[in-house]
C-alpha cells in the first residue's frame, strides 16, 4: 500500500507529532508512506521536524504554499499525486482537506481519507477559517472516509458537517510509550521538597487557558510560597506578551515563568504536577506524555480531556476557566505525596491500556483497508459514494 499524508507544516505541534508516529508506524508495517506539507515558515519557536521524518525513512515533499489561502495548494498537490500511483491520500487540517477535495474533483479513483483534529468552528477563535465551516462542510462529504481523533470531534462532524454516523470513525491518538518512558528522567533530588513545580505545555494562545493557571498560582502560593509555575510552548501569534503582562500585574514574576518551546520529556522530568487548563481540545497528546512520565495531571473538565483520564483515579478535573477550582485540585496533590503517586501510577497504566501507538496505527491501517474495500465494492455495484450519502 502507498499512502501520501498531507499536512500544513512539519513544525512540531500536536497534529505533527501524531503524524510522525503514524507515518513511522505505517512504515514498520510495510506501508510506503510519504508526507507532503504546505508551509515551511512558522513563527514562534517550534522546531522543524522535516529532517526527523527523513531520518525515519519518510520522504517529504514541500508544496510551497506559505499563504493561508494559496489556491495553488490544490494544483501542486494534484501534480504530486500524478507522479506516483498512490493508493490513499490522507489529509490533515482544513487547508489540506480543501486541497484534497479539489483533487477529488480531478479524480475519484484514489481513496481520500481526512482526519479531523478539532471541532474547527468551536468558540475558542483558534481557527481563522472557523467562520467558513458551514460553507466548507460539503467538501468533507466528498471524502471516502473521515477519522475523528476523539468521540466529541466525531459528534461535531456528524452534527455540524452533516456526515453520516457510518462515515466517521473515531481513532484516538496514541504515543510511543516505551520511547516516552526511556526519555523520562526522575525529578532532581537536589531540589527542596517545598519547591514544587507545576508545569503546563501548550501554544501561547487564549485557547490553552494559561491565564487560568497564572491566576490559580496566587492561591497556591498562599500555602506553598516556594512553588513555581512553568509554562512551555511556542508563541506563533505573540500572545506571550499578554501573558507576561498578566504575570507582572499579579506580581508573580518570581513564581511564574514562560519558558518557550522545550523538549517535552526534559521539561516534564522537573514537574511535580502537570496542569492543563485548555478551554478547547480535539485531543491533547501532551496529557498522554505527562501521564506516561508519571506526572499527576489536573485538566479542564472538557471533552475529551475528561475522558482521557478517569477523574479522581488517573487524574483530576477542574472547572474550565476557574482559577480557584484549578488551585484547589493542584493543592490537593501538593499536600499529599502518596495521593500524587497513586494518581501518577494509575495514569501510566491507563495510557498503556488505551492510548498506545500500536493501537492507533493498527486501527488506522484497518480503516484504510475497510474504506478501500467498500469503495471497490461500490465501484462494482451501484456507483453511489457511501460517504457523500451522509
Amino acid at each position: 500500500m502507498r499512502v501520501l499524508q498531507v499536512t500544513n507544516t512539519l513544525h512540531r505541534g500536536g497534529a505533527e507529532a501524531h503524524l510522525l508516529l503514524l507515518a513511522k508506524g505505517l512504515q514498520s508495517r510495510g506501508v510506503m508512506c510519504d508526507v507532503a506539507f504546505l508551509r515551511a515558515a512558522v513563527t514562534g519557536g517550534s522546531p522543524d521536524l522535516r529532517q526527523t521524518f527523513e531520518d525515519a525513512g519518510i520522504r517529504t515533499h514541500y508544496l510551497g504554499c506559505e499563504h493561508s489561502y494559496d489556491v495553488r495548494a490544490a494544483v501542486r498537490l494534484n501534480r504530486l499525486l500524478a507522479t506516483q500511483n498512490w493508493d490513499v491520500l490522507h489529509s490533515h487540517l482544513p487547508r489540506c482537506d480543501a486541497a484534497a477535495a479539489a483533487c477529488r474533483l480531478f479524480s475519484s479513483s484514489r481513496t481520500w481519507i481526512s482526519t479531523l483534529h478539532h471541532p474547527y468552528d468551536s468558540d475558542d477563535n483558534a481557527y481563522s477559517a472557523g467562520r467558513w465551516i458551514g460553507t466548507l462542510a460539503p467538501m468533507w462529504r466528498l471524502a471516502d472516509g473521515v477519522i475523528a481523533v476523539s468521540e466529541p470531534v466525531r459528534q461535531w462532524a456528524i452534527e455540524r458537517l452533516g456526515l453520516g454516523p457510518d462515515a466517521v470513525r473515531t481513532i484516538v491518538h496514541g504515543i510511543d510509550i516505551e520511547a516516552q518512558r526511556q526519555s523520562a528522567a526522575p525529578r532532581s533530588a537536589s531540589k527542596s521538597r517545598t519547591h514544587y513545580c507545576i508545569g503546563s505545555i501548550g501554544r501561547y494562545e487564549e485557547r490553552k487557558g494559561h491565564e487560568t493557571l497564572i491566576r490559580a498560582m496566587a492561591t497556591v502560593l498562599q500555602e506553598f510560597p516556594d512553588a513555581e509555575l512553568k509554562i512551555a510552548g511556542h508563541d506563533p501569534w505573540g500572545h506571550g506578551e499578554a501573558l507576561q503582562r498578566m504575570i507582572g500585574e499579579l506580581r508573580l514574576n518570581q513564581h511564574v515563568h514562560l519558558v518557550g518551546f522545550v523538549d517535552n520529556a526534559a521539561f516534564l522530568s522537573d514537574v511535580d504536577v502537570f496542569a492543563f487548563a485548555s478551554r478547547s481540545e480535539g485531543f491533547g497528546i501532551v496529557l498522554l506524555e505527562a501521564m506516561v512520565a508519571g506526572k499527576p495531571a489536573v485538566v479542564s473538565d472538557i471533552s475529551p480531556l475528561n475522558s482521557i483520564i478517569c477523574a479522581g483515579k488517573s487524574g483530576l478535573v477542574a472547572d474550565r476557566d476557574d482559577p480557584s477550582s484549578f488551585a484547589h485540585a493542584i493543592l490537593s496533590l501538593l499536600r499529599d505525596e502518596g495521593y500524587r503517586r497513586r494518581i501518577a501510577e494509575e495514569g501510566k497504566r491507563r495510557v498503556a491500556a488505551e492510548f498506545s501507538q500500536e493501537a492507533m496505527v493498527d486501527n488506522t491501517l484497518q480503516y484504510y483497508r475497510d474504506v478501500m474495500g467498500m469503495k471497490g465494492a461500490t465501484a462494482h455495484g451501484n456507483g453511489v459514494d457511501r460517504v457523500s450519502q451522509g
Side-chain angles (χ1 to χ4, degrees), residues 10-260:
L10 294 186
H11 283 252
R12 184 176 175 86
E16 294 75 21
H18 157 73
L19 181 54
L20 178 59
L21 285 180
L22 176 60
K24 290 169 67 175
L26 290 171
Q27 292 270 73
S28 71
R29 286 156 177 77
V31 176
M32 198 204 86
C33 190
D34 284 18
V35 175
F37 63 103
L38 302 183
R39 299 172 56 204
V42 176
T43 61
S46 63
D48 189 341
L49 295 177
R50 183 172 186 178
Q51 192 59 50
T52 305
F53 277 87
E54 294 282 354
D55 289 344
I58 301 160
R59 290 189 304 172
T60 62
H61 308 270
Y62 173 47
L63 298 181
C65 300
E66 296 295 330
H67 190 274
S68 297
Y69 302 102
D70 193 332
V71 296
R72 295 174 299 176
V75 175
R76 292 177 177 178
L77 176 59
N78 194 60
R79 189 181 301 153
L80 175 61
L81 288 168
T83 64
Q84 296 192 46
N85 186 26
W86 307 98
D87 298 298
V88 176
L89 170 62
H90 188 167
S91 59
H92 303 259
L93 305 172
R95 285 184 63 195
C96 298
D97 293 334
C103 291
R104 165 49 51 91
L105 299 178
F106 296 118
S107 172
S108 61
S109 60
R110 182 183 299 103
T111 297
W112 169 34
I113 291 174
S114 164
T115 286
L116 300 174
H117 291 263
H118 197 273
Y120 298 117
D121 62 349
S122 56
D123 62 1
D124 53 49
N125 299 316
Y127 295 92
S128 60
R131 64 187 180 276
W132 302 108
I133 290 299
T135 303
L136 296 174
M139 75 182 186
W140 280 287
R141 299 173 203 159
L142 296 173
D144 297 298
V146 176
I147 294 171
V149 301
S150 66
E151 189 58 27
V153 173
R154 178 177 180 271
Q155 291 303 316
W156 172 84
I158 294 169
E159 296 166 8
R160 188 71 175 92
L161 302 182
L163 299 179
D166 292 339
V168 191
R169 183 174 297 182
T170 299
I171 301 178
V172 298
H173 285 329
I175 62 173
D176 186 338
I177 294 170
E178 188 57 35
Q180 291 289 325
R181 285 175 175 166
Q182 290 177 2
S183 61
R187 189 178 191 272
S188 173
S190 63
K191 287 199 172 184
S192 165
R193 294 314 299 162
T194 63
H195 183 186
Y196 292 110
C197 179
I198 300 98
S200 188
I201 301 173
R203 281 190 303 272
Y204 296 164
E205 58 172 312
E206 290 186 15
R207 179 168 69 95
K208 294 300 183 180
H210 299 311
E211 291 88 346
T212 297
L213 295 181
I214 292 170
R215 294 186 185 281
M217 279 302 291
T219 300
V220 171
L221 289 168
Q222 293 176 13
E223 187 168 339
F224 294 94
D226 293 333
E228 64 176 335
L229 169 65
K230 292 182 178 180
I231 303 174
H234 66 292
D235 189 12
W237 302 294
H239 187 62
E241 293 182 6
L243 295 177
Q244 196 61 61
R245 281 196 301 273
M246 172 182 280
I247 293 168
E249 290 167 359
L250 295 175
R251 299 181 179 180
L252 296 174
N253 299 77
Q254 301 301 312
H255 298 278
V256 179
H257 308 287
L258 306 181
V259 299

Side-chain angles (χ1 to χ4, degrees), residues 12 176-187 201 232 261-271 274 286 288-290 292-295:
R12 184 176 175 86
D176 186 338
I177 294 170
E178 188 57 35
Q180 291 289 325
R181 285 175 175 166
Q182 290 177 2
S183 61
R187 189 178 191 272
I201 301 173
F261 197 92
V262 298
D263 176 78
N264 287 3
F267 175 81
L268 289 167
S269 70
D270 199 39
V271 164
F274 181 75
V286 293
L288 299 186
E289 293 176 347
V292 169
K295 307 304 174 179

